[in-house]
């Protein structure tokens, strides 16, 4: 199982590339994007944004491909702002539902709606990677935002805890792809709804103050 987990972690983005190529020639294939739209939301009730950090092919693409040429700059607050996130969510959902109603019954046209959405948002994600950091898009991705909201009602334990031995060096905040400041949770569970459980903060902490509790 560990072998396949590592394999996916390294090469999961091939699913995105396959999707973009095959959907270009046959848009009906693009309806499979529904899995990537519903998956993160359903899982978030139990594991927060785990999907974003471990299963999303586009997130994997950002981690493995765009990270190579990313600017590694902190994502500006405006892109993390709750109102901007809500606006992006509502705008894309409005476009999506409206287009679905118009083209309902025609698989090729419905597939093309999915395809356009994924292709366009991937291009935006790549551009933001270059300007800011590789996971900049994930700060306001509609599915990520909805998952973060749903995860406020999650059941079960939180996977990470920041121990009181934290010395406030703030290195953890520097490596967090979602601009979270783990040290702010000193002595508590890391309950930030945007945490994708990537473990970067654990790896960098010189005191081993970020502890995985399992989930
Ligand atoms: S890297 Fe570790 S010690 Fe430093 S601020 Fe973060 S949790 Fe605290
Ligand atoms: S670096 Fe830590 S706080 Fe940030 S997303 Fe990864 S696990 Fe969560």
């Amino acid at each position: 199982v560990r072998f396949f987990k590592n394999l996916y972690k390294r090469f999961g983005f091939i699913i995105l590339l396959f999707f973009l190529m095959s959907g270009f020639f046959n848009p009906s294939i693009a309806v499979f994007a529904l899995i990537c739209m519903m998956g993160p939301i359903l899982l978030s009730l139990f594991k927060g944004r785990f999907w974003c950090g471990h299963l999303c092919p586009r997130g994997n693409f950002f981690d493995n491909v765009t990270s190579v040429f990313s600017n590694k700059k902190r994502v500006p607050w405006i892109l993390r702002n709750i109102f901007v996130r809500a606006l992006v969510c509502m705008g894309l959902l409005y476009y999506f539902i409206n287009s679905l109603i118009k083209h309902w019954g025609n698989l090729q046209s419905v597939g093309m709606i999915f395809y356009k959405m994924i292709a366009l948002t991937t291009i935006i994600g790549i551009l933001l990677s270059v300007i800011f950091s590789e996971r900049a898009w994930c700060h306001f991705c509609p599915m990520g935002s909805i998952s973060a909201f749903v995860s406020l009602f999650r059941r079960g334990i939180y996977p990470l805890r920041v121990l009181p031995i934290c010395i406030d060096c703030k290195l953890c905040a520097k490596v967090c792809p979602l601009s979270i400041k783990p040290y702010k949770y000193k002595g508590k569970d890391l309950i930030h709804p945007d945490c994708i459980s990537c473990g970067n903060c654990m790896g960098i902490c010189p005191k081993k103050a970020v502890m995985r509790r399992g989930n």
Side-chain angles (χ1 to χ4, degrees):
V1 176
R2 182 177 286 272
F3 170 77
F4 288 110
K5 261 171 88 174
N6 289 339
L7 196 67
Y8 188 80
K9 205 172 169 47
R10 189 71 194 87
F11 298 107
F13 64 90
I14 289 171
I15 294 175
L16 175 73
L17 301 181
F18 177 75
F19 173 91
L20 291 173
M21 278 192 289
S22 55
F24 184 78
F25 296 107
N26 182 4
S28 56
I29 288 175
V31 293
F32 282 106
L34 199 58
I35 299 170
C36 271
M37 291 169 80
M38 297 315 294
I41 299 173
L42 295 176
L43 198 62
S44 60
L45 203 49
F46 306 95
K47 290 170 89 78
R49 288 187 68 177
F50 181 89
W51 180 287
C52 305
H54 299 263
L55 297 171
C56 173
R58 184 161 54 194
N60 190 288
F61 177 74
F62 293 146
D63 288 343
N64 287 301
V65 182
T66 63
S67 62
V68 176
F69 50 82
S70 149
N71 209 2
K72 311 281 181 209
K73 261 175 73 178
R74 193 168 169 80
V75 175
W77 71 269
I78 187 91
L79 296 183
R80 297 183 267 128
N81 183 283
I82 188 158
F83 297 109
V84 172
R85 292 176 76 169
L87 208 67
V88 173
C89 255
M90 286 190 293
L92 281 180
L93 277 180
Y94 174 77
Y95 164 76
F96 181 63
I97 292 168
N98 210 20
S99 306
L100 272 188
I101 292 169
K102 264 194 216 155
H103 297 280
W104 194 250
N106 182 337
L107 188 61
Q108 289 279 323
S109 305
V110 168
M112 187 46 94
I113 299 166
F114 282 95
Y115 185 79
K116 276 189 197 160
M117 291 234 324
I118 300 293
L120 176 71
T121 50
T122 301
I123 291 169
I124 295 173
I126 294 171
L127 290 176
L128 289 173
S129 286
V130 178
I131 302 169
F132 303 112
S133 66
E134 59 268 23
R135 285 265 188 177
W137 165 259
C138 306
H139 287 69
F140 61 102
C141 163
M143 292 307 125
S145 296
I146 297 173
S147 303
F149 176 72
V150 172
S151 76
L152 294 174
F153 309 96
R154 68 188 277 171
R155 288 134 212 267
I157 58 166
Y158 286 88
L160 299 178
R161 187 170 178 82
V162 185
L163 302 176
I165 51 170
C166 161
I167 51 167
D168 285 324
C169 68
K170 301 184 180 158
L171 282 174
C172 48
K174 284 197 179 137
V175 295
C176 178
L178 269 292
S179 308
I180 296 168
K181 296 173 175 165
Y183 60 88
K184 292 219 161 174
Y185 296 86
K186 191 185 324 194
K188 298 184 208 150
D189 288 340
L190 209 162
I191 59 167
H192 198 293
D194 279 319
C195 175
I196 58 171
S197 302
C198 67
N200 286 3
C201 51
M202 283 175 67
I204 195 92
C205 179
K207 288 288 177 189
K208 301 281 169 256
V210 187
M211 187 187 83
R212 197 179 283 284
R213 303 172 66 196
N215 194 9

